[in-house]
């Protein structure tokens, strides 16, 4: 895939995710954005390990965070975290189940599609390992939100 096509996909992915923000409602954005940002920052740190240990690669400019992982982090990951919290916060079992379903979908069909489109592929991780890599942050997201709300109430 050409770099131009990859940038187009990145921009569309970010715009599609952010286009759903009005449906979240400003109150929910204010409520869930801080925990979601913390998780995205954590993911940004984790990405450095993934790059160092070559867990995955991007076909075009694999060394550039801006054209590789960043669009996923500030698009679907950030906005998706807010949506998942909005839909399930207060029910940890539902939260974990929804995260597992979404992370499974990303780790398998989406990654397979990205490989076929020559956007990105796993290198030293298999799909199940990648699923665990993205899923382990779910309890942290819930925990961050729980602590923020606990602090707000006191």
């Amino acid at each position: 895939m050409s770099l131009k096509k990859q940038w187009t996909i990145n921009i569309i992915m970010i715009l599609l995710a952010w286009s759903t923000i009005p449906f979240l409602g400003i109150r929910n954005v204010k409520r869930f954005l801080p925990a979601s940002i913390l998780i995205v920052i954590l993911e940004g740190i984790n990405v450095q390990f993934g790059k160092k240990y070559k867990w995955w690669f991007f076909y075009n400019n694999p060394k550039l965070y801006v054209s590789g992982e960043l669009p996923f982090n500030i698009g679907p990951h950030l906005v998706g975290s807010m949506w998942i919290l909005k839909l399930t916060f207060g029910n940890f079992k539902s939260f974990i189940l929804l995260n597992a379903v979404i992370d499974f979908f990303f780790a398998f069909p989406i990654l397979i599609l990205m490989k076929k489109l020559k956007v990105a592929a796993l290198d030293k991780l298999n799909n199940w390992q990648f699923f665990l890599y993205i899923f382990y942050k779910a309890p942290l997201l819930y925990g961050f939100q729980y602590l923020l709300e606990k602090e707000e109430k006191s």
Side-chain angles (χ1 to χ4, degrees):
M1 172 178 291
S2 72
L3 188 57
K4 184 178 178 180
K5 284 182 182 177
Q6 185 171 340
W7 273 101
T8 302
I9 288 171
N10 289 347
I11 290 168
I12 290 170
M13 180 172 48
I14 293 168
L15 291 176
L16 278 174
W18 279 89
S19 70
T20 68
I21 290 290
F23 302 106
L24 264 171
I26 191 70
R27 184 175 163 270
N28 288 313
V29 171
K30 287 180 181 178
R31 179 181 178 194
F32 299 126
L33 185 60
S36 298
I37 288 173
L38 284 172
I39 287 299
V40 168
I41 290 169
L42 177 63
E43 178 57 19
I45 294 166
N46 286 339
V47 161
Q48 303 315 310
F49 291 101
K51 285 176 164 281
K52 180 179 179 180
Y53 296 110
K54 299 178 181 172
W55 291 343
W56 58 79
F57 65 91
F58 285 81
Y59 287 92
N60 295 316
N61 285 333
K63 292 181 175 30
L64 291 179
Y65 177 70
V66 172
S67 65
E69 296 88 355
L70 182 65
F72 290 93
N73 290 342
I74 65 171
H77 196 144
L78 179 65
V79 177
S81 294
M82 288 188 285
W83 270 106
I84 291 168
L85 284 168
K86 178 191 187 290
L87 295 170
T88 62
F89 191 72
N91 185 334
F92 186 70
K93 287 180 184 177
S94 293
F95 174 83
I96 288 296
L97 180 62
L98 183 58
N99 262 284
V101 168
I102 290 169
D103 291 348
F104 180 88
F105 186 72
F106 186 74
F108 288 89
I110 296 293
L111 272 180
I112 291 166
L113 177 64
M114 288 192 332
K115 185 175 183 177
K116 285 183 182 180
L117 294 174
K118 298 212 181 284
V119 173
L122 295 175
D123 192 3
K124 294 188 177 177
L125 288 183
N126 64 37
N127 293 74
W128 282 109
Q129 291 167 322
F130 187 76
F131 167 79
L132 292 173
Y133 164 81
I134 56 176
F135 183 70
Y136 94 87
K137 292 177 280 300
L140 296 175
L141 174 63
Y142 195 92
F144 285 149
Q145 185 63 37
Y146 178 82
L147 291 174
L148 288 171
E149 297 211 0
K150 186 177 177 184
E151 178 68 26
E152 212 172 85
K153 288 180 182 177
S154 58

